[in-house]
Amino acid sequence: MKKLLLLMLMMTAFVYASAQPKKVSVLGDSYSTFIGVIPAKYATFYPNDRNDVKEVEQTWWSLYIKAKDYVLEKNDSWGGTTICGTGYGGMDSSRSNFISRVDSLGNPDIIFVFGGTNDAWANSPIGEYQYSDWTKDDCKYFRPALACLIDKLQKRYPSAKICCILNSELREPINESMREICKHYQVQLVELHDIEKQNGHPSINGMKSICKQLLEAGM
C-alpha cells in the first residue's frame, strides 16, 4: 500500500512538473531591454522615439515566449553593456558586463545570451582563446570573457538550456569567436541574418524576424 501511494505521489509530481510552462531568462544588452521589465538602474533603449517598437509585446523575447507558451523568469538586459570588461573608449566595464550579472537570472529552464554587439561597436580587444583560470584582466578581452561567461552559466544553471544569439552585421572576429567558443561548450548558437533595424536596433519587423529565426533553429 505504501509503495502504491509513493508511486502515485511520484506520478502526480511528474505530471505537475510537466504541466508547468518553461521559464525563460534573458541576459542581454539594449536589443533586449524594455523599460519597466529590466532592473530600474539599467540603461534601456526601448521604447525610443527613433524606433517603432513601442510595446513590450513587440520585443523579440516577448514574441518568442508567447509563441512557445512559456513565461519570463528574468530579463537582465542592460543597454550599452559588453560581454567583456572593456567598454566604449576603452573604459573598464567589469561592473556592468555580462559576467557580472550571471547570478541575476532566477531559476530558468532556458537562458538566452544576446550579446557581443557592443563588444563589436566599442572595438573591444579580442584576445586569445582561453578556457580556464580566467583573471579580471583576462576578461577584458572578448574571447576569454565569453568563455568565462558560458562556463559560469553552465555551472550556475546546470539544468538550463543555454542559447547564444549572434547579431547580424558584426565584425568577423566577433562572429568567429562566438562560433568557436559556443562549439567548445556545446552551446547552441543562432546566427541572425536580415534583421531590419532603426537607429541600429531591431524594428518591429526586426523583432519578428529574430523570433522567427529562433523558432526555426529549434529553440
Side-chain angles (χ1 to χ4, degrees):
M1 185 67 179
K2 288 183 178 180
K3 288 183 178 180
L4 178 60
L5 181 59
L6 180 60
L7 180 61
M8 291 176 64
L9 288 172
M10 289 175 63
M11 290 179 64
T12 301
F14 176 77
V15 170
Y16 177 78
S18 301
Q20 298 304 298
K22 289 186 178 181
K23 296 176 289 184
V24 176
S25 288
V26 180
L27 182 59
D29 53 31
S30 60
Y31 276 41
S32 305
T33 59
F34 202 90
I35 193 167
V37 178
I38 62 171
K41 70 174 184 177
Y42 290 4
T44 189
F45 178 83
Y46 294 102
N48 191 293
D49 290 340
R50 294 173 291 173
N51 192 287
D52 62 3
V53 175
K54 303 301 182 186
E55 305 293 336
V56 68
E57 292 81 9
Q58 297 169 323
T59 61
W60 70 265
W61 48 269
S62 185
L63 292 168
Y64 172 82
I65 287 169
K66 182 179 180 180
K68 298 289 286 187
D69 200 23
Y70 293 164
V71 295
L72 179 66
E73 175 72 357
K74 295 284 184 178
N75 185 335
D76 200 272
S77 298
W78 191 336
T81 56
T82 49
I83 287 175
C84 74
T86 304
Y88 289 91
M91 293 183 64
D92 185 343
S93 59
S94 301
R95 292 186 177 182
S96 61
N97 70 351
F98 281 46
I99 296 172
S100 71
R101 288 143 48 206
V102 163
D103 294 330
S104 304
L105 302 179
N107 184 30
D109 300 300
I110 298 171
I111 299 171
F112 285 110
V113 179
F114 196 173
T117 298
N118 289 301
D119 300 78
W121 291 355
N123 203 30
S124 300
I126 296 296
E128 303 297 328
Y129 293 108
Q130 179 182 344
Y131 295 107
S132 63
D133 303 320
W134 304 277
T135 65
K136 179 180 177 180
D137 285 340
D138 292 330
C139 291
K140 289 182 179 179
Y141 296 84
F142 181 72
R143 284 172 176 165
L146 179 59
C148 178
L149 173 66
I150 295 177
D151 183 80
K152 286 180 176 292
L153 286 171
Q154 288 183 332
K155 290 174 179 175
R156 176 68 175 80
Y157 308 98
S159 62
K161 178 177 176 61
I162 300 170
C163 175
C164 288
I165 305 173
L166 177 58
N167 190 16
S168 60
E169 303 171 286
L170 300 186
R171 56 193 178 101
E172 190 55 30
I174 295 288
N175 301 334
E176 175 192 333
S177 301
M178 292 277 281
R179 295 178 191 123
E180 182 64 28
I181 293 167
C182 286
K183 180 180 178 181
H184 177 87
Y185 286 102
Q186 298 182 324
V187 166
Q188 183 170 357
L189 175 65
V190 177
E191 297 190 40
L192 301 178
H193 58 86
D194 304 312
I195 302 300
E196 182 183 284
K197 298 171 184 176
Q198 296 172 354
N199 193 31
H201 291 69
S203 62
I204 289 176
N205 287 334
M207 292 292 191
K208 290 178 180 178
S209 185
I210 293 171
C211 176
K212 181 181 179 182
Q213 289 179 42
L214 290 175
L215 295 174
E216 289 174 345
M219 282 305 302

